[in-house]
Amino acid sequence: TPNRNLRYATPFCYLFSDPADVYFTFRSVYANYCCRLHTVSSGTGDILQLSRQFEVVLQETNPALYFHLLEKGLPPLRIAFNWIVFGFAGYLEVDQILALWDRILAWDSLLLLPVLAAAILSFREERLLKCNTPEEMRHVLADASKLKVPYNSNPKR
């Protein structure tokens, strides 16, 4: 839907003053990356693969948190799915979304989305493990203002 695509396009408004530049940049990013977030296929990089990658990363790196979330009635993917599908637009601050998409473009890979989703849950692990209800967990995760995407990664090294 058009409103859904606005989530992707909004950060580009901070980069360009000319609407044509916003449009053509957004169109290119959407055609090359974002469209895969709404595609189910047997190929790599679609939403099914990214969802599975998120679950594997979180379960392998933080099994206590993974199983705590399940036990309390909030499957981890239910938390992270919209983050992944929308490339964190609407969740992270604009500068952090731009930093994330800078990494995605540099690495030419959407696999950073599930990795970041798992990292955010792990970052909030201590508080999440104290929660007993899905509502409490959602409250812990609601504020993303302190979350920062690392600026020091360089895929060409």
Side-chain angles (χ1 to χ4, degrees):
T1 65
N3 290 339
R4 182 179 309 167
N5 292 339
L6 284 177
R7 279 194 192 180
Y8 294 121
T10 302
F12 294 105
C13 295
Y14 289 86
L15 297 175
F16 305 103
S17 58
D18 182 357
D21 292 336
V22 172
Y23 171 75
F24 287 112
T25 303
F26 164 70
R27 185 179 74 174
S28 178
V29 169
Y30 189 87
N32 288 299
Y33 297 97
C34 301
C35 67
R36 289 190 256 158
L37 299 173
H38 302 279
T39 303
V40 175
S41 72
S42 61
T44 59
D46 72 347
I47 191 60
L48 291 179
Q49 180 195 22
L50 297 172
S51 296
R52 179 68 184 136
Q53 189 66 38
F54 162 75
E55 290 185 323
V56 168
V57 168
L58 186 63
Q59 190 172 2
E60 288 182 1
T61 61
N62 205 330
L65 178 59
Y66 182 86
F67 289 109
H68 175 75
L69 294 170
L70 286 176
E71 180 182 280
K72 298 301 178 182
L74 188 58
L77 186 58
R78 186 171 296 153
I79 298 168
F81 189 77
N82 279 342
W83 295 346
I84 295 168
V85 166
F86 294 112
F88 291 88
Y91 182 65
L92 292 177
E93 298 292 324
V94 171
D95 64 326
Q96 299 308 304
I97 293 169
L98 294 172
L100 172 61
W101 281 94
D102 182 60
R103 302 301 172 278
I104 289 169
L105 294 172
W107 286 88
D108 192 28
S109 174
L110 290 170
L111 288 176
L112 294 171
L113 296 173
V115 170
L116 180 60
I120 289 171
L121 291 179
S122 293
F123 179 72
R124 301 279 192 217
E125 173 187 17
E126 185 177 327
R127 291 179 57 201
L128 287 169
L129 289 175
K130 293 177 183 175
C131 295
N132 290 311
T133 67
E135 293 77 27
E136 291 173 349
M137 293 176 191
R138 286 187 189 98
H139 179 74
V140 166
L141 295 167
D143 180 19
S145 63
K146 303 263 190 286
L147 298 174
K148 304 291 181 204
V149 174
Y151 287 98
N152 59 353
S153 61
N154 184 350
K156 304 300 181 194
R157 289 185 191 178

PDB file of all heavy atoms in Angstrom, residues 61-80:
ATOM      1  N   THR A  61      22.588 -17.110  19.905  1.00  0.00           N
ATOM      2  CA  THR A  61      23.379 -16.159  20.686  1.00  0.00           C
ATOM      3  C   THR A  61      22.771 -15.845  22.046  1.00  0.00           C
ATOM      4  O   THR A  61      23.490 -15.410  22.951  1.00  0.00           O
ATOM      5  CB  THR A  61      23.582 -14.826  19.927  1.00  0.00           C
ATOM      6  OG1 THR A  61      22.301 -14.232  19.668  1.00  0.00           O
ATOM      7  CG2 THR A  61      24.340 -15.052  18.629  1.00  0.00           C
ATOM      8  N   ASN A  62      21.473 -16.054  22.194  1.00  0.00           N
ATOM      9  CA  ASN A  62      20.809 -15.699  23.441  1.00  0.00           C
ATOM     10  C   ASN A  62      19.636 -16.642  23.704  1.00  0.00           C
ATOM     11  O   ASN A  62      18.478 -16.215  23.723  1.00  0.00           O
ATOM     12  CB  ASN A  62      20.338 -14.243  23.375  1.00  0.00           C
ATOM     13  CG  ASN A  62      20.206 -13.634  24.737  1.00  0.00           C
ATOM     14  OD1 ASN A  62      19.913 -14.328  25.697  1.00  0.00           O
ATOM     15  ND2 ASN A  62      20.388 -12.327  24.816  1.00  0.00           N
ATOM     16  N   PRO A  63      19.931 -17.936  23.925  1.00  0.00           N
ATOM     17  CA  PRO A  63      18.833 -18.899  24.093  1.00  0.00           C
ATOM     18  C   PRO A  63      17.953 -18.619  25.310  1.00  0.00           C
ATOM     19  O   PRO A  63      16.748 -18.853  25.256  1.00  0.00           O
ATOM     20  CB  PRO A  63      19.549 -20.247  24.214  1.00  0.00           C
ATOM     21  CG  PRO A  63      20.958 -19.928  24.555  1.00  0.00           C
ATOM     22  CD  PRO A  63      21.244 -18.576  23.993  1.00  0.00           C
ATOM     23  N   ALA A  64      18.526 -18.105  26.388  1.00  0.00           N
ATOM     24  CA  ALA A  64      17.712 -17.824  27.578  1.00  0.00           C
ATOM     25  C   ALA A  64      16.635 -16.792  27.253  1.00  0.00           C
ATOM     26  O   ALA A  64      15.464 -16.954  27.628  1.00  0.00           O
ATOM     27  CB  ALA A  64      18.595 -17.338  28.720  1.00  0.00           C
ATOM     28  N   LEU A  65      17.007 -15.742  26.553  1.00  0.00           N
ATOM     29  CA  LEU A  65      16.040 -14.714  26.171  1.00  0.00           C
ATOM     30  C   LEU A  65      15.030 -15.262  25.169  1.00  0.00           C
ATOM     31  O   LEU A  65      13.827 -15.033  25.293  1.00  0.00           O
ATOM     32  CB  LEU A  65      16.749 -13.488  25.593  1.00  0.00           C
ATOM     33  CG  LEU A  65      15.837 -12.359  25.108  1.00  0.00           C
ATOM     34  CD1 LEU A  65      14.956 -11.829  26.238  1.00  0.00           C
ATOM     35  CD2 LEU A  65      16.662 -11.250  24.491  1.00  0.00           C
ATOM     36  N   TYR A  66      15.516 -15.991  24.186  1.00  0.00           N
ATOM     37  CA  TYR A  66      14.634 -16.561  23.160  1.00  0.00           C
ATOM     38  C   TYR A  66      13.525 -17.392  23.810  1.00  0.00           C
ATOM     39  O   TYR A  66      12.335 -17.199  23.525  1.00  0.00           O
ATOM     40  CB  TYR A  66      15.458 -17.422  22.196  1.00  0.00           C
ATOM     41  CG  TYR A  66      14.660 -18.022  21.075  1.00  0.00           C
ATOM     42  CD1 TYR A  66      14.431 -17.320  19.902  1.00  0.00           C
ATOM     43  CD2 TYR A  66      14.123 -19.305  21.177  1.00  0.00           C
ATOM     44  CE1 TYR A  66      13.704 -17.868  18.856  1.00  0.00           C
ATOM     45  CE2 TYR A  66      13.388 -19.864  20.142  1.00  0.00           C
ATOM     46  CZ  TYR A  66      13.180 -19.149  18.988  1.00  0.00           C
ATOM     47  OH  TYR A  66      12.444 -19.692  17.964  1.00  0.00           O
ATOM     48  N   PHE A  67      13.910 -18.290  24.712  1.00  0.00           N
ATOM     49  CA  PHE A  67      12.920 -19.171  25.320  1.00  0.00           C
ATOM     50  C   PHE A  67      12.071 -18.451  26.371  1.00  0.00           C
ATOM     51  O   PHE A  67      10.913 -18.800  26.585  1.00  0.00           O
ATOM     52  CB  PHE A  67      13.583 -20.430  25.860  1.00  0.00           C
ATOM     53  CG  PHE A  67      14.052 -21.327  24.751  1.00  0.00           C
ATOM     54  CD1 PHE A  67      15.399 -21.478  24.473  1.00  0.00           C
ATOM     55  CD2 PHE A  67      13.140 -21.988  23.938  1.00  0.00           C
ATOM     56  CE1 PHE A  67      15.827 -22.277  23.429  1.00  0.00           C
ATOM     57  CE2 PHE A  67      13.562 -22.793  22.882  1.00  0.00           C
ATOM     58  CZ  PHE A  67      14.909 -22.935  22.635  1.00  0.00           C
ATOM     59  N   HIS A  68      12.609 -17.425  27.011  1.00  0.00           N
ATOM     60  CA  HIS A  68      11.816 -16.619  27.942  1.00  0.00           C
ATOM     61  C   HIS A  68      10.684 -15.917  27.192  1.00  0.00           C
ATOM     62  O   HIS A  68       9.537 -15.911  27.660  1.00  0.00           O
ATOM     63  CB  HIS A  68      12.716 -15.589  28.642  1.00  0.00           C
ATOM     64  CG  HIS A  68      11.961 -14.648  29.523  1.00  0.00           C
ATOM     65  ND1 HIS A  68      11.451 -15.023  30.750  1.00  0.00           N
ATOM     66  CD2 HIS A  68      11.601 -13.350  29.344  1.00  0.00           C
ATOM     67  CE1 HIS A  68      10.821 -13.989  31.297  1.00  0.00           C
ATOM     68  NE2 HIS A  68      10.907 -12.957  30.465  1.00  0.00           N
ATOM     69  N   LEU A  69      11.005 -15.340  26.054  1.00  0.00           N
ATOM     70  CA  LEU A  69       9.977 -14.667  25.253  1.00  0.00           C
ATOM     71  C   LEU A  69       8.880 -15.654  24.833  1.00  0.00           C
ATOM     72  O   LEU A  69       7.687 -15.349  24.925  1.00  0.00           O
ATOM     73  CB  LEU A  69      10.597 -13.998  24.033  1.00  0.00           C
ATOM     74  CG  LEU A  69      11.545 -12.819  24.318  1.00  0.00           C
ATOM     75  CD1 LEU A  69      12.289 -12.412  23.049  1.00  0.00           C
ATOM     76  CD2 LEU A  69      10.800 -11.648  24.907  1.00  0.00           C
ATOM     77  N   LEU A  70       9.286 -16.829  24.391  1.00  0.00           N
ATOM     78  CA  LEU A  70       8.300 -17.850  24.009  1.00  0.00           C
ATOM     79  C   LEU A  70       7.446 -18.261  25.204  1.00  0.00           C
ATOM     80  O   LEU A  70       6.214 -18.364  25.096  1.00  0.00           O
ATOM     81  CB  LEU A  70       9.008 -19.080  23.437  1.00  0.00           C
ATOM     82  CG  LEU A  70       9.596 -18.969  22.035  1.00  0.00           C
ATOM     83  CD1 LEU A  70      10.334 -20.256  21.681  1.00  0.00           C
ATOM     84  CD2 LEU A  70       8.526 -18.666  21.006  1.00  0.00           C
ATOM     85  N   GLU A  71       8.102 -18.491  26.316  1.00  0.00           N
ATOM     86  CA  GLU A  71       7.396 -18.934  27.522  1.00  0.00           C
ATOM     87  C   GLU A  71       6.368 -17.912  27.996  1.00  0.00           C
ATOM     88  O   GLU A  71       5.303 -18.268  28.493  1.00  0.00           O
ATOM     89  CB  GLU A  71       8.417 -19.188  28.631  1.00  0.00           C
ATOM     90  CG  GLU A  71       7.836 -19.649  29.944  1.00  0.00           C
ATOM     91  CD  GLU A  71       8.913 -19.832  30.985  1.00  0.00           C
ATOM     92  OE1 GLU A  71       9.574 -20.876  30.960  1.00  0.00           O
ATOM     93  OE2 GLU A  71       9.100 -18.906  31.797  1.00  0.00           O
ATOM     94  N   LYS A  72       6.658 -16.642  27.817  1.00  0.00           N
ATOM     95  CA  LYS A  72       5.756 -15.580  28.268  1.00  0.00           C
ATOM     96  C   LYS A  72       4.724 -15.195  27.209  1.00  0.00           C
ATOM     97  O   LYS A  72       3.953 -14.260  27.397  1.00  0.00           O
ATOM     98  CB  LYS A  72       6.553 -14.343  28.686  1.00  0.00           C
ATOM     99  CG  LYS A  72       7.494 -14.590  29.844  1.00  0.00           C
ATOM    100  CD  LYS A  72       6.749 -15.073  31.082  1.00  0.00           C
ATOM    101  CE  LYS A  72       7.710 -15.357  32.218  1.00  0.00           C
ATOM    102  NZ  LYS A  72       7.035 -15.868  33.405  1.00  0.00           N
ATOM    103  N   GLY A  73       4.709 -15.920  26.106  1.00  0.00           N
ATOM    104  CA  GLY A  73       3.656 -15.719  25.116  1.00  0.00           C
ATOM    105  C   GLY A  73       3.941 -14.670  24.054  1.00  0.00           C
ATOM    106  O   GLY A  73       3.010 -14.191  23.403  1.00  0.00           O
ATOM    107  N   LEU A  74       5.222 -14.315  23.891  1.00  0.00           N
ATOM    108  CA  LEU A  74       5.564 -13.341  22.861  1.00  0.00           C
ATOM    109  C   LEU A  74       6.701 -13.902  22.003  1.00  0.00           C
ATOM    110  O   LEU A  74       7.878 -13.692  22.292  1.00  0.00           O
ATOM    111  CB  LEU A  74       5.980 -12.010  23.497  1.00  0.00           C
ATOM    112  CG  LEU A  74       6.176 -10.847  22.530  1.00  0.00           C
ATOM    113  CD1 LEU A  74       4.914 -10.564  21.723  1.00  0.00           C
ATOM    114  CD2 LEU A  74       6.598  -9.603  23.289  1.00  0.00           C
ATOM    115  N   PRO A  75       6.353 -14.636  20.946  1.00  0.00           N
ATOM    116  CA  PRO A  75       7.403 -15.181  20.081  1.00  0.00           C
ATOM    117  C   PRO A  75       8.311 -14.062  19.572  1.00  0.00           C
ATOM    118  O   PRO A  75       7.816 -13.004  19.156  1.00  0.00           O
ATOM    119  CB  PRO A  75       6.628 -15.825  18.931  1.00  0.00           C
ATOM    120  CG  PRO A  75       5.267 -16.085  19.491  1.00  0.00           C
ATOM    121  CD  PRO A  75       5.007 -14.978  20.473  1.00  0.00           C
ATOM    122  N   PRO A  76       9.613 -14.268  19.619  1.00  0.00           N
ATOM    123  CA  PRO A  76      10.551 -13.218  19.204  1.00  0.00           C
ATOM    124  C   PRO A  76      10.273 -12.650  17.812  1.00  0.00           C
ATOM    125  O   PRO A  76      10.398 -11.442  17.609  1.00  0.00           O
ATOM    126  CB  PRO A  76      11.915 -13.911  19.263  1.00  0.00           C
ATOM    127  CG  PRO A  76      11.736 -14.992  20.270  1.00  0.00           C
ATOM    128  CD  PRO A  76      10.312 -15.454  20.113  1.00  0.00           C
ATOM    129  N   LEU A  77       9.878 -13.482  16.879  1.00  0.00           N
ATOM    130  CA  LEU A  77       9.619 -12.989  15.531  1.00  0.00           C
ATOM    131  C   LEU A  77       8.417 -12.036  15.507  1.00  0.00           C
ATOM    132  O   LEU A  77       8.385 -11.106  14.702  1.00  0.00           O
ATOM    133  CB  LEU A  77       9.424 -14.134  14.549  1.00  0.00           C
ATOM    134  CG  LEU A  77       9.295 -13.738  13.082  1.00  0.00           C
ATOM    135  CD1 LEU A  77      10.531 -12.958  12.603  1.00  0.00           C
ATOM    136  CD2 LEU A  77       9.082 -14.970  12.216  1.00  0.00           C
ATOM    137  N   ARG A  78       7.468 -12.225  16.401  1.00  0.00           N
ATOM    138  CA  ARG A  78       6.331 -11.313  16.471  1.00  0.00           C
ATOM    139  C   ARG A  78       6.812  -9.899  16.822  1.00  0.00           C
ATOM    140  O   ARG A  78       6.260  -8.910  16.360  1.00  0.00           O
ATOM    141  CB  ARG A  78       5.304 -11.782  17.486  1.00  0.00           C
ATOM    142  CG  ARG A  78       4.055 -10.909  17.458  1.00  0.00           C
ATOM    143  CD  ARG A  78       2.927 -11.455  18.276  1.00  0.00           C
ATOM    144  NE  ARG A  78       2.484 -12.725  17.731  1.00  0.00           N
ATOM    145  CZ  ARG A  78       1.902 -13.670  18.460  1.00  0.00           C
ATOM    146  NH1 ARG A  78       1.693 -13.498  19.743  1.00  0.00           N
ATOM    147  NH2 ARG A  78       1.511 -14.797  17.906  1.00  0.00           N
ATOM    148  N   ILE A  79       7.850  -9.801  17.628  1.00  0.00           N
ATOM    149  CA  ILE A  79       8.428  -8.502  17.983  1.00  0.00           C
ATOM    150  C   ILE A  79       9.176  -7.923  16.788  1.00  0.00           C
ATOM    151  O   ILE A  79       9.011  -6.765  16.435  1.00  0.00           O
ATOM    152  CB  ILE A  79       9.406  -8.650  19.161  1.00  0.00           C
ATOM    153  CG1 ILE A  79       8.687  -9.155  20.408  1.00  0.00           C
ATOM    154  CG2 ILE A  79      10.123  -7.326  19.432  1.00  0.00           C
ATOM    155  CD1 ILE A  79       9.626  -9.605  21.514  1.00  0.00           C
ATOM    156  N   ALA A  80      10.016  -8.733  16.178  1.00  0.00           N
ATOM    157  CA  ALA A  80      10.984  -8.249  15.191  1.00  0.00           C
ATOM    158  C   ALA A  80      10.459  -8.164  13.765  1.00  0.00           C
ATOM    159  O   ALA A  80      11.076  -7.501  12.932  1.00  0.00           O
ATOM    160  CB  ALA A  80      12.221  -9.138  15.217  1.00  0.00           C
TER     161      ALA A  80
END
